[in-house]
């Protein structure tokens, strides 16, 4: 009996020693630690937070629990120098004042719903018309403007888990919707975003992230010399309010063809193209050639001066490529930089816009007892 007690004590001591040494190594290796600092107060007095995820390669991604917003993201250029490659604000005040969805999580329905109306299981729903006559990006207070509950998960590939429950009727949508988004900074300089949601009433859902990238590292420049590949042989033409007409149009032979890498400047100002006119540039949804739900390459962007390459992989069927056409030099961002016309580009992986009103599009309906689940990866490298 005595011997057993002694053995137990020795084992306990050994366990403590090994736990302590684990702890020490964790403190020494800063990469595994997720820093949390204040990101400022909301007008109602609530505190917001900013979390920093780091990997061993030196990449740093800062994410706020306000809007689940990716605030800054450093990536190496071909000389190995890390620079911030996304647009954003220095504190939560900038986001509250109003920016066009910089870095934010978008929901419950990303992109447009025509006239802010749809019918589901015979019931008509009305949403705020916050983009001309249409509903855009989840409404007046979409997921980009709510405070998410954040749980940092430390490790070699650190994660930030964000959860939010949208109430039945919130922004006009049916069903209590529980959403979980996990950002994971991976060893290979990629950020993985896992989206998950469940509902207690049939609803519609289309979640995405609205980061504006400028791979140059100089956020004072425009993105026109970036070279883009979109693995999509069709796109969705829109009407003048940017609602898809329903047609899936082959990209072959027009300025929407990015099957082979092409400079954005090559076609963006071709106003003989009605679609470019409607979008004020590129602001369209491309239908990926590979329509399977596997994680497949959707887009690649290359910026020749820095040598940075960004690849976007997704389980989604489509991608909205938006070239920052509404940026007009009125927003002062991080470090006092004014964001000029087309100083950032967005690659928003998603289902098609206006799907709740277009029966021929892949369904965005989520029913109770089903789980919505998608993954998108943004991976940096150099060339
Ligand atoms: C989306 C839309 C654009 C614009 C931006 C935000 O990407 O497609 O038309 O509204 O968001 O400015």
């Amino acid at each position: 009996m005595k011997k057993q007690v002694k053995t137990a004590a020795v084992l306990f001591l050994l366990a403590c020693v090994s736990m302590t040494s684990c702890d020490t190594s964790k403190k020494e290796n800063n990469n595994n630690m997720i820093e949390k600092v204040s990101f400022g107060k909301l007008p109602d007095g609530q505190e917001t937070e900013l979390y920093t995820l780091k990997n061993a390669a030196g990449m740093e991604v800062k994410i706020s629990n306000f809007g689940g917003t990716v605030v800054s993201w450093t990536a190496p250029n071909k000389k190995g120098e890390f620079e911030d490659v996304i647009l954003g604000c220095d504190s939560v005040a900038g986001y509250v004042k109003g920016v066009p969805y910089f870095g934010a999580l978008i929901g419950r329905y990303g992109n447009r719903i025509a006239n802010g109306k749809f019918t589901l299981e015979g019931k008509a729903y009305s949403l705020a018309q916050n983009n001309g006559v249409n509903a855009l990006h989840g409404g007046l207070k979409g997921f980009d403007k709510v405070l998410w509950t954040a749980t940092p998960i430390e490790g070699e590939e650190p994660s930030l888990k964000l959860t939010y429950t949208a109430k039945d009727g919130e922004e006009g949508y049916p069903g209590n919707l529980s959403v979980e988004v996990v950002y994971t900074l991976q060893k290979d300089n990629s950020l993985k975003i896992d989206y998950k949601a469940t509902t207690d009433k049939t609803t519609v859902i289309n979640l995405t992230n609205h980061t504006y990238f400028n791979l140059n590292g100089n956020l004072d420049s425009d993105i026109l010399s970036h070279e883009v590949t979109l693995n999509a042989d069709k796109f969705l033409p829109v009407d003048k309010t940017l609602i898809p007409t329903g047609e899936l149009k082959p990209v072959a032979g027009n300025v929407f063809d990015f099957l082979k890498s092409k400079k954005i400047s090559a076609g963006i100002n071709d106003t003989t193209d009605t679609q470019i006119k409607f979008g004020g540039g590129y602001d369209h949804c491309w239908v990926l050639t590979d329509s399977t739900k596997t994680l497949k390459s959707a887009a690649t962007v290359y910026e020749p001066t820095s040598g940075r390459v960004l690849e976007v992989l997704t389980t989604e069927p489509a991608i909205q490529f938006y070239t920052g056409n509404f940026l007009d030099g009125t927003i002062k961002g991080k470090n006092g930089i004014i964001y000029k016309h087309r100083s950032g580009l967005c690659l928003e992986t998603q289902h098609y816009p206006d799907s709740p009103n277009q029966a021929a599009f892949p369904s965005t309906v989520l029913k109770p007892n089903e789980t919505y689940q998608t993954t998108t990866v943004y991976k940096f490298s150099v060339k």
Side-chain angles (χ1 to χ4, degrees):
M1 182 71 184
K2 251 187 179 169
K3 200 175 165 196
Q4 270 173 4
V5 172
K6 243 189 194 166
T7 318
V10 169
L11 282 176
F12 177 71
L13 269 173
L14 278 175
C16 287
V17 168
S18 80
M19 267 165 67
T20 320
S21 70
C22 277
D23 256 12
T24 316
S25 73
K26 200 165 144 191
K27 270 174 203 136
E28 276 167 5
N29 183 357
N30 252 344
N31 292 323
N32 286 349
M33 304 294 288
I34 297 178
E35 270 172 35
K36 175 177 117 178
V37 295
S38 166
F39 199 45
K41 278 194 177 135
L42 293 177
D44 67 3
Q46 283 191 90
E47 276 289 350
T48 65
E49 292 148 2
L50 188 67
Y51 295 83
T52 305
L53 312 186
K54 295 179 196 170
N55 70 8
M59 180 169 275
E60 275 191 25
V61 182
K62 293 186 192 283
I63 302 167
S64 176
N65 59 342
F66 180 75
T69 304
V70 184
V71 170
S72 74
W73 189 341
T74 67
N77 61 12
K78 59 188 168 197
K79 291 189 227 147
E81 296 158 347
F82 282 81
E83 284 166 312
D84 192 359
V85 289
I86 68 167
L87 309 192
C89 306
D90 287 320
S91 73
V92 80
Y95 295 92
V96 170
K97 213 164 117 196
V99 289
Y101 309 96
F102 286 170
L105 291 178
I106 306 294
R108 163 178 327 199
Y109 197 95
N111 220 315
R112 292 173 176 80
I113 295 181
N115 301 307
K117 289 190 175 22
F118 64 94
T119 303
L120 194 58
E121 296 182 334
K123 199 168 175 259
Y125 293 93
S126 253
L127 314 167
Q129 293 165 298
N130 61 334
N131 187 250
V133 294
N134 301 321
L136 176 70
H137 291 337
L140 298 173
K141 191 177 178 187
F143 292 176
D144 59 299
K145 294 184 191 72
V146 302
L147 208 51
W148 294 68
T149 302
T151 313
I153 305 159
E154 294 181 343
E156 211 183 343
E157 298 197 318
S159 295
L160 188 68
K161 180 165 110 182
L162 296 164
T163 55
Y164 178 71
T165 301
K167 299 238 156 46
D168 184 16
E170 189 170 317
E171 289 296 328
Y173 293 96
N176 291 295
L177 184 79
S178 304
V179 188
E180 180 191 286
V181 178
V182 182
Y183 285 105
T184 304
L185 178 57
Q186 306 190 110
K187 287 186 276 192
D188 63 354
N189 281 351
S190 65
L191 185 70
K192 178 157 73 94
I193 316 179
D194 291 302
Y195 302 87
K196 224 194 235 179
T198 52
T199 182
D200 61 359
K201 252 190 210 170
T202 304
T203 190
V204 292
I205 181 167
N206 195 24
L207 304 179
T208 192
N209 175 279
H210 210 297
T211 295
Y212 288 67
F213 295 96
N214 184 327
L215 303 193
N216 187 290
N218 171 11
L219 302 178
D220 211 3
S221 61
D222 65 46
I223 44 80
L224 295 177
S225 62
H226 287 46
E227 297 170 17
V228 173
T229 313
L230 298 172
N231 300 325
D233 55 7
K234 295 188 189 71
F235 79 104
L236 303 177
V238 289
D239 67 14
K240 61 175 187 309
T241 73
L242 302 184
I243 294 292
T245 59
E247 184 194 358
L248 273 68
K249 190 173 175 177
V251 295
N254 62 58
V255 293
F256 288 80
D257 188 350
F258 283 93
L259 284 166
K260 283 202 199 101
S261 173
K262 189 169 83 184
K263 265 202 192 341
I264 294 175
S265 58
I268 196 172
N269 291 319
D270 182 358
T271 44
T272 62
D273 187 296
T274 321
Q275 288 300 314
I276 289 284
K277 240 204 261 173
F278 286 165
Y282 293 110
D283 190 358
H284 296 77
C285 193
W286 270 256
V287 175
L288 300 178
T289 310
D290 180 347
S291 60
T292 61
K293 286 186 180 143
T294 53
L295 191 68
K296 70 260 174 205
S297 184
T300 307
V301 185
Y302 168 62
E303 198 284 307
T305 319
S306 66
R308 287 190 183 92
V309 177
L310 171 67
E311 187 184 10
V312 186
L313 301 104
T314 189
T315 61
E316 289 277 25
I319 191 163
Q320 180 87 4
F321 173 44
Y322 168 60
T323 42
N325 313 313
F326 293 114
L327 295 173
D328 59 2
T330 54
I331 299 171
K332 196 191 270 182
K334 286 175 283 191
N335 306 313
I337 293 176
I338 307 279
Y339 295 139
K340 296 195 268 234
H341 189 218
R342 297 177 176 159
S343 56
L345 62 87
C346 303
L347 290 158
E348 307 155 52
T349 54
Q350 56 191 253
H351 269 59
Y352 309 177
D354 199 35
S355 299
N357 292 311
Q358 307 219 20
F361 287 176
S363 172
T364 49
V365 172
L366 182 70
K367 296 191 170 145
N369 308 319
E370 288 177 349
T371 303
Y372 169 93
Q373 210 160 359
T374 72
T375 297
T376 292
V377 175
Y378 293 93
K379 182 179 185 309
F380 279 97
S381 59
V382 286
K383 171 162 113 173

